[in-house]
């Protein structure tokens, strides 16, 4: 086997999985007794209030249930239970954009969570099962509010702070949230920015479900207060008791909703469970990041994404680790910010996305050499495939050639990692997610459910239910079944399909080849083409639109829009149109969905039945030759016309 990078044994003193033999033993143990092995871990890892009676209930597949009858509380699992042994250990280390620092020990975190939980119950009448939308920046209160919801059994739905008022509104309405927790704003690149006005805008109409808004103070900027609706978190929480009884939750009670894009329609409210989710969050934290008691772990994601849920808040805290929360951006005040923080906090595990690595490589290639990065042991990447150039800079310039890079493959729906190297065990191939984690039966299959031959693309599926998998799409069970269990079958039974293609090589290593559906991966964030298209269609002069992904040097993929106008516009008006289109996208979705390229075309390539041939549009955007048969198109000549327009734009 060529091009393998072996773990540096000196860095790993007592890993949970020491070598590939131990990995294989665990995989075998699961193969021999799948449910029994999961139960073994559930018994070992979770502080149950009451033990479950059934490990896995498949009677209503694919609505699987795990650890049925079990009673627990996820906030108790993440915070209270650590008070016996770790009360004075740092739970959360916060670093603000402006350099502010704050440390919450497990004791302090327990008190804050309890006070906030009491506030939710007493001041906002939040009860078990109520939905609470959290629209917040990267400040410790975001984690405190998530845990406070868990403490009283409320279901949180965190909405990324970069989403627009429209996007926020859609998510509030879909979840029928009773309360929105936000902040006045926060800091970014040294300047204050605002979130509360976005909430005001979102609540203008259609959100009658929301009774109250709770506002955490972060930047102290002036905000408008709506009497009878808006309340100050800081004022309310200080009078609450720091003791709060944990709500006794069933294993399958929903812990949270998190909206993510699909290939069609509106974003889906991915619903996660309590027991199965927290079990896998904790197990993967321990296996994949080799978390040890004295470690300081930093994941640069935002709590608005699943990575922030599982690997900033729930996983690290369930494992009793110290987790860093960073409010700022990696390039402010300069491209050495992350490396400065690694040196200062002696970070042991650093977890980020390839897009950030490419950006820091490009804008600050020599920055890492200015800092002492020797504390690092595990470097993680997530969100998209990591290209060899970024991988090798990460490995050498950041890891000093001594750290293991864990290329973690997973999704909002999987709750936690499903394919990833184990840092002390797996010989790593660059840009390769390597092997399924023990317990995850991840298989690459073809349409008939057979494993695809070596080197050939197939569907990346998980063929057995696992504890942390998505339980439902909020309020839309049909869509849940169709979205994930409609495409792939094994032995005649529907299996979970990720939506990604993948390949296996002669050594059994898995490489993820990317989405097989109309989902674009922009900077590691999932964006549905249908969502962007429906935003663009809101422009009164747009007759038709098709959006595809195009490779982008930093973002991985950029958004490329083909627009057919209603009127006969001149080029100058087109420039105006591009601006107008992007401002609609900003309003409807947020700046993350802005188009990198917009081209105006006379028509789109459609089949006679009216289906847009996106594959042709993708090829043209990439500058690749067209291999599809165009003779079945309604108007085959359109392909040449579009090609020459795109070429003349010299994008
Ligand atoms: C999609 C999931 C998982 C948290 C961040 C994104 C892509 C994710 C990898 C990886 C190649 C990856 C897939 C997946 N993806 N990790 N290591 N290598 N592709 O979560 O927004 O739910 O997106 O991200 O296409 O389906 P998400």
């Amino acid at each position: 086997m060529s091009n393998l990078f072996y773990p540096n044994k000196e860095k790993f003193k007592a890993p949970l999985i020491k070598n590939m033999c131990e990995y294989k033993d665990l995989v075998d143990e699961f193969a021999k007794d799948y449910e029994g092995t999961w139960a073994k871990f559930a018994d070992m890892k979770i502080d149950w209030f009451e033990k479950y009676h059934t490990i896995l209930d498949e009677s209503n597949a694919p609505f699987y249930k795990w650890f049925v009858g079990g009673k627990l509380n996820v906030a108790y699992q993440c915070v209270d239970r650590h008070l016996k042994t770790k009360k004075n250990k740092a739970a959360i280390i916060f670093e603000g954009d402006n350099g502010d620092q704050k440390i919450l020990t497990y004791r302090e975190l327990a008190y804050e969570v309890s006070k906030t939980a009491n506030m939710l119950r007493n001041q906002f009448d939040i009860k078990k099962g109520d939905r609470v939308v959290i629209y917040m920046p990267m400040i410790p209160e975001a984690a405190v509010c998530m845990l406070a919801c868990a403490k009283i059994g409320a279901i949180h739905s965190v909405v990324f702070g970069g989403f627009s008022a429209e996007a926020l509104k859609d998510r509030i309405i879909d979840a029928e949230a009773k309360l929105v927790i936000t902040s006045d704003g926060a800091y970014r690149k040294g300047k204050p920015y605002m979130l509360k006005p976005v909430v005001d805008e979102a609540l203008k109409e259609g959100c009658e479900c929301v009774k109250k808004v709770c506002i955490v103070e972060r930047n102290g900027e002036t905000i408008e207060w709506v009497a009878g609706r808006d309340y100050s978190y800081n004022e309310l929480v200080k009078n609450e008791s720091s003791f709060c009884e944990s709500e006794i939750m069933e294993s399958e009670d929903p812990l949270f909703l998190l909206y993510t894009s699909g290939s069609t329609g509106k974003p889906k409210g991915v619903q996660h469970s309590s027991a199965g989710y927290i079990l896998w969050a904790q197990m993967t934290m321990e296996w994949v990041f080799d978390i040890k008691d004295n470690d300081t772990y930093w994941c640069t994601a935002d709590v608005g994404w699943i990575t922030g849920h599982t690997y900033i808040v729930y996983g690290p805290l369930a494992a009793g680790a110290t987790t860093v929360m960073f409010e700022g951006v990696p390039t402010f005040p300069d491209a050495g910010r992350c490396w400065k923080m690694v040196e200062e906090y002696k970070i042991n595990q650093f977890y980020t996305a390839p897009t950030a690595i490419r950006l820091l490589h490009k804008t600050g290639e020599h920055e890492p050499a200015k800092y002492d990065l020797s504390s690092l042991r595990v470097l993680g990447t997530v969100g998209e495939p990591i290209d060899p150039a970024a991988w090798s800079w990460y490995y050498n310039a950041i890891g000093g050639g001594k750290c293991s890079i864990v290329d973690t493959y997973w999704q909002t729906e999987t709750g936690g990692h499903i394919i990833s190297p184990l840092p002390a065990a797996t010989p790593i191939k660059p840009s390769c997610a390597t092997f399924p984690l023990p317990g995850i039966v991840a298989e690459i299959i073809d349409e008939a459910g057979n494993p695809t031959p070596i080197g050939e693309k197939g569907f990346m599926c998980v063929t057995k239910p696992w504890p942390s998998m998505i339980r439902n799409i909020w309020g839309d069970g049909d869509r849940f079944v169709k979205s994930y269990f409609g495409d792939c079958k094994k032995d005649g039974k529907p299996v979970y399909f990720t939506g990604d293609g993948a390949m296996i090589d002669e050594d059994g290593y898995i490489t993820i080849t990317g989405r097989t559906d109309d989902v674009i991966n922009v900077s590691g964030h999932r964006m549905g083409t249908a969502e962007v298209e429906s935003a663009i269609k809101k422009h009164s002069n747009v007759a038709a639109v098709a959006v595809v992904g195009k490779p982008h040097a930093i973002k991985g993929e950029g958004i490329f829009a083909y627009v057919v106008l209603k009127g006969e516009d001149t080029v100058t008006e087109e420039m105006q149109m591009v601006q107008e289109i992007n401002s609609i996208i900003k309003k409807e979705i947020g700046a993350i969905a802005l188009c990198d390229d917009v081209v105006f075309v006379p028509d789109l390539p459609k089949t006679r039945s009216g289906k847009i041939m996106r594959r042709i549009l993708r090829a043209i955007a990439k500058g690749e030759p067209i291999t599809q048969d165009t003779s079945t198109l309604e108007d085959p000549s359109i392909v040449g016309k579009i090609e020459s327009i795109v070429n003349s734009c010299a994008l």
Side-chain angles (χ1 to χ4, degrees), residues 30 34-48 52 55 66-67 72 74 77-78 81 251 255 273-287 310-311 314-315 318-319 414-416 466-469 471:
F30 273 105
Y34 187 67
E35 293 179 26
T37 309
W38 276 116
K40 180 183 97 176
F41 283 108
D43 296 348
M44 196 155 70
K45 301 289 174 188
I46 292 183
D47 269 31
W48 295 100
Y52 51 90
I55 304 168
W66 282 90
F67 312 118
L72 78 164
V74 169
Q77 175 78 10
C78 290
R81 75 182 181 114
S251 293
L255 178 63
S273 69
S274 295
Y277 171 81
I278 201 64
L279 173 63
W280 192 234
Q282 185 178 330
M283 284 172 69
T284 47
M285 201 60 218
E286 295 170 351
W287 281 350
T310 310
Y311 297 111
Y314 288 113
T414 65
W466 70 105
S468 72
M469 70 192 292
R471 292 302 193 272

Side-chain angles (χ1 to χ4, degrees), residues 307 382-385 407-412 500 515 521 526:
T307 310
V382 60
E384 53 178 319
D407 182 346
T408 61
Y409 167 75
W410 60 299
Q411 314 176 288
T412 305
D500 286 302
R515 304 287 307 189
N521 192 326
R526 227 202 285 187

Side-chain angles (χ1 to χ4, degrees), residues 260-261 305-307 351 354 381-386 407-414 419 433 498-500 512-515 519 521 524-527:
T260 190
S261 297
W305 309 111
I306 191 68
T307 310
Y351 190 28
T381 125
V382 60
E384 53 178 319
I386 174 165
D407 182 346
T408 61
Y409 167 75
W410 60 299
Q411 314 176 288
T412 305
E413 293 86 343
T414 65
I419 301 179
T498 59
D500 286 302
I512 306 297
T513 54
R515 304 287 307 189
V519 168
N521 192 326
H525 300 310
R526 227 202 285 187
M527 202 42 65

